[in-house]
């Protein structure tokens, strides 16, 4: 993990309060799906963590929602300005080859799964990408990789099937060998408890303060001998095996 000064290549409003930020990739380290970056934003004390959604040798892309002072300031940054970025942070999704896989995303959970789907596609996996959002405006089709089977759902039925993406996922033939998920905790909990017969990998999004494994402000309880053990989402995660999480 290193910190680099990276120029902004694009900071585009996708819809409502969601933005796509593309920055130069000045990192020597290779990023893996599931990794996040930690951005220093002048005017706020703590860095902000963002999952990597798009990764190439030339640039890194994240999707963020304007929800507070930090992301408000970030949304006003323009092409050519620079940001201090820490990365790659956290662990990564395990990647397999030639498998039938399901990706399940709700809300902003889409970001790490976009990067993951690109890598899974390169390894000749058959991908079923279940992508749920509140409405059509929150389905970011323009940044989705091609050559993947997408199943969309919206709460209001304005795009894809109407309803909750997990309920729709359950109506499909369940012969996936691996399941990956990212998004709201309720979705991750349901996916994690759904099957004990196949691997389920989830990306957690706990609140982070230091983001470097120092403050223990982001812990999650994991099944281990005895009463379980606390792990740091920022350092030991954010990717965990779903069946190992103790949902509290
Ligand atoms: Fe400090 Fe994870 S945010 S240990």
């Amino acid at each position: 993990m290193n910190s680099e000064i990276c120029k902004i290549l694009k900071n585009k409003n996708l819809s409502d309060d969601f933005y796509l930020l593309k920055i130069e990739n000045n990192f020597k380290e290779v990023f893996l799906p599931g990794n996040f970056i930690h951005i220093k934003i002048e005017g706020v004390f703590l860095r902000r963590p963002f999952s990597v959604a798009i990764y190439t040798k030339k640039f890194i892309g994240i999707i963020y929602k304007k929800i507070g002072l930090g992301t408000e300031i970030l949304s006003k940054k323009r092409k050519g300005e620079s940001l201090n970025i820490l990365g790659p942070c956290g662990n990564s999704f395990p990647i397999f080859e030639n498998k039938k896989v399901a990706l399940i995303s709700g809300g902003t959970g889409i970001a790490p799964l976009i990067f993951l789907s690109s890598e899974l596609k390169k390894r000749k996996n058959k991908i079923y990408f279940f992508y749920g959002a509140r409405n059509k405006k929150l389905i970011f089709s323009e940044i989705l990789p091609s050559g993947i089977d997408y199943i969309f759902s919206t709460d209001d039925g304005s795009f894809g099937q109407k309803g909750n993406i997990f309920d729709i996922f359950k109506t499909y033939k369940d012969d996936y060998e691996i399941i990956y998920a990212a998004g709201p905790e309720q979705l991750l909990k349901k996916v994690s408890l759904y099957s004990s017969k196949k691997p389920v990998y989830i990306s957690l999004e706990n609140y982070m303060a230091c983001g470097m494994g120092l403050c223990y402000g982001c812990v999650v309880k994991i099944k281990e001998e005895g009463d379980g053990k606390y792990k740091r989402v920022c350092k030991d995660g954010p990717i965990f095996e779903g069946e190992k999480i103790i949902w509290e």
Side-chain angles (χ1 to χ4, degrees), residues 208-218 232 234:
M208 289 183 194
C210 75
M212 302 175 73
L214 305 173
C215 71
Y216 280 75
C218 63
R232 298 157 298 181
C234 68

Side-chain angles (χ1 to χ4, degrees), residues 31-36 50-52 89-96 103-104 109-116 178-183 188 192 199-206 208 218 220-222 231-245 247:
F31 282 61
L32 298 168
N35 287 159
F36 65 93
F50 301 96
S51 293
V52 173
C89 304
N91 67 353
S92 57
F93 286 109
I95 308 276
F96 301 89
L103 274 58
I104 309 172
I110 190 66
L113 297 190
I114 292 177
F115 184 10
L116 174 67
I178 300 140
I179 298 173
Y180 300 93
L188 299 183
S192 298
V200 175
Y201 299 98
I202 59 169
S203 175
L204 287 180
E205 282 183 20
N206 275 20
M208 289 183 194
C218 63
V220 61
K221 205 168 185 186
I222 299 288
K231 297 267 185 185
R232 298 157 298 181
V233 171
C234 68
K235 191 81 178 170
D236 306 309
I239 311 305
F240 292 93
E241 288 175 64
E243 65 164 351
K244 295 226 170 120
I245 304 283
W247 300 96

Side-chain angles (χ1 to χ4, degrees), residues 2-233:
N2 264 315
S3 99
E4 297 288 349
I5 303 297
C6 304
K7 272 213 171 91
I8 295 174
L9 304 173
K10 185 187 267 191
N11 194 15
K12 180 188 172 190
N13 179 242
L14 289 171
S15 72
D16 292 349
D17 287 334
F18 287 88
Y19 290 77
L20 170 67
L21 174 73
K22 278 189 185 176
I23 50 161
E24 283 176 333
N25 180 2
N26 292 337
F27 290 88
K28 289 193 183 65
E29 297 96 329
V30 173
F31 282 61
L32 298 168
N35 287 159
F36 65 93
I37 57 173
H38 224 193
I39 303 184
K40 187 172 170 53
I41 302 169
E42 306 115 45
V44 290
F45 178 58
L46 297 169
R47 286 176 179 266
R48 296 287 191 272
F50 301 96
S51 293
V52 173
I54 310 170
Y55 174 75
T56 72
K57 281 189 180 147
K58 294 210 167 131
F59 68 85
I60 291 169
I62 61 160
I63 299 165
Y64 68 94
K65 185 180 181 190
K66 196 165 63 169
I67 45 169
L69 180 61
T71 43
E72 169 86 38
I73 295 170
L74 190 59
S75 71
K76 297 200 165 72
K77 297 277 177 193
R78 294 290 166 254
K79 183 177 173 182
E81 291 186 61
S82 295
L83 290 169
N84 180 307
I85 313 275
L86 199 62
C89 304
N91 67 353
S92 57
F93 286 109
I95 308 276
F96 301 89
E97 289 188 8
N98 289 307
K99 302 280 185 202
K100 184 174 178 184
V101 303
L103 274 58
I104 309 172
S105 150
T108 47
I110 190 66
L113 297 190
I114 292 177
F115 184 10
L116 174 67
S117 65
S118 307
E119 290 302 308
L120 290 171
K121 195 178 135 191
K122 285 183 202 159
R123 313 280 175 92
K124 301 189 169 28
N125 292 283
K126 177 70 183 153
I127 305 165
Y128 293 83
F129 199 142
F130 294 83
Y131 179 177
R134 279 204 317 275
N135 56 51
K136 184 179 178 179
K137 284 198 291 182
L138 301 180
I139 300 277
F140 308 128
S141 312
E142 64 185 277
I143 50 174
L144 297 179
S146 58
I148 288 172
D149 286 326
Y150 292 98
I151 300 99
F152 297 106
S153 82
T154 48
D155 295 347
D156 64 1
S158 53
F159 192 78
Q161 301 181 49
K162 184 174 181 182
N164 177 277
I165 196 64
F166 182 69
D167 294 334
I168 287 160
F169 161 76
K170 285 191 298 181
T171 66
Y172 280 70
K173 187 170 174 234
D174 177 12
D175 56 356
Y176 315 105
E177 293 163 279
I178 300 140
I179 298 173
Y180 300 93
E185 186 173 311
Q186 275 310 311
L187 172 68
L188 299 183
K189 186 174 177 182
K190 283 183 195 165
V191 177
S192 298
L193 300 174
Y194 168 70
S195 172
S196 57
K197 297 195 186 85
K198 59 189 78 183
V200 175
Y201 299 98
I202 59 169
S203 175
L204 287 180
E205 282 183 20
N206 275 20
Y207 170 78
M208 289 183 194
C210 75
M212 302 175 73
L214 305 173
C215 71
Y216 280 75
C218 63
V219 293
V220 61
K221 205 168 185 186
I222 299 288
K223 285 179 197 160
E224 284 203 5
E225 277 178 37
D227 289 340
K229 192 172 178 184
Y230 285 102
K231 297 267 185 185
R232 298 157 298 181
V233 171

